[in-house]
Amino acid sequence: MRLSLFAAALGAVLTFAAGAQAERLTDQPLVDAAWLKAHLGDKSLVVVDVRDADKQGNPYEKGHVPGAVNAPYSTAGWRAEVNGVPGMLPPVDQIAKTIGALGVSNDSHVVIVPNGTDSSEFGGATRVYWTFKVLGHDAVSILDGGERAWEAAGGELSTEAAQPVAASFTGELRKELLATTADVEQARTDGTKLVDGRPAAQFKGEAKSPVVRVAGTIPGAVNLENGKLYDAGKASFASKDEVANLSKAVGLGNDEKNIAFCNTGHWASVVWFGLSEIEGNKNTKMYDGSMAEWAANPERPVQPGS
């Protein structure tokens, strides 16, 4: 009798676990407006609007995907200064609490909505996507084209602010997606490709970000500009074939190990997303600290890219 009860209890646990796993609504990194419309009623779906305020105010207040939670990229706690380096991944417990406060649990499927203005703005979505992935949460997608695509498809807009009920979210750092300075130093020794996702002028040392000490790039890096991965006119991310052609053009082989970087891990997230999630190269890491951290130490080499 006890064995039967144990078996029944075990079966219930396995059924629950399977159900939780099944809550992942799609394995696609990008979803379109039609997909999102069809899934808005799903209990496991949490839509996270990461659009930042602009000169006209908070775009969320003017209209958003119904039920979407307001979590602006720049102000909701997605990034933090760590050891003097700006824009870093916050401590795991801290970012997990931030995510849970949005009503996201480990059983939720998250769809991230940027505005879709251009590659740089879309980078807010890819960075937040990477954050979920690096915390071990695979049930995450981005609305391709963002709010622009939603409105172009006739998607309903709501001005009612969502009131999320805090959920329990736990994260476990997935180190295979995160490159440290030590990893970059090792990459320079063993020949792992370093991919600079910044505009060509910064790569060549003709311009620099104010958060980076000196102009230039990490010696030996190649330049895959993040702007080439997003079509601002059509409001859509590059296709798998387009990403493959871009990576091939900079000498990156199929599934070749590489580390994407930029100034603070923002533009690099666009490149990481393209290489890892769209092309499918799972040997891609992102250097969170990027040039802000690398160049902070004068002993680390920086030179104009070519």
Side-chain angles (χ1 to χ4, degrees), residues 210-224:
V211 302
V212 178
R213 185 180 61 84
V214 293
T217 191
I218 301 172
V222 297
N223 187 206
L224 200 173

Side-chain angles (χ1 to χ4, degrees), residues 37 46 59 83 114 118 138 167 184 209 219 302:
K37 284 181 184 180
V46 180
N83 297 324
D118 54 31
D138 286 323
V184 175
S209 165
V302 176

Side-chain angles (χ1 to χ4, degrees), residues 188 191-196 203 217-223 250 261 301 303-306:
R188 296 191 64 237
T192 296
K193 194 86 75 182
L194 299 174
V195 184
D196 189 335
F203 172 72
T217 191
I218 301 172
V222 297
N223 187 206
V250 297
F261 70 95
Q303 67 181 36
S306 59

Side-chain angles (χ1 to χ4, degrees), residues 6 20 29 50 52-53 79 85 87 93 104 106 125 127 133 152 200 204-205 224 259 273 284 288 294 301:
F6 175 77
V50 298
D52 283 325
R79 306 173 76 187
V85 181
D93 289 348
V104 176
N106 293 95
R127 172 69 192 216
K133 284 282 188 170
K204 295 176 181 178
L224 200 173
I259 297 173
F273 183 81
T284 300
D288 193 17
W294 179 265

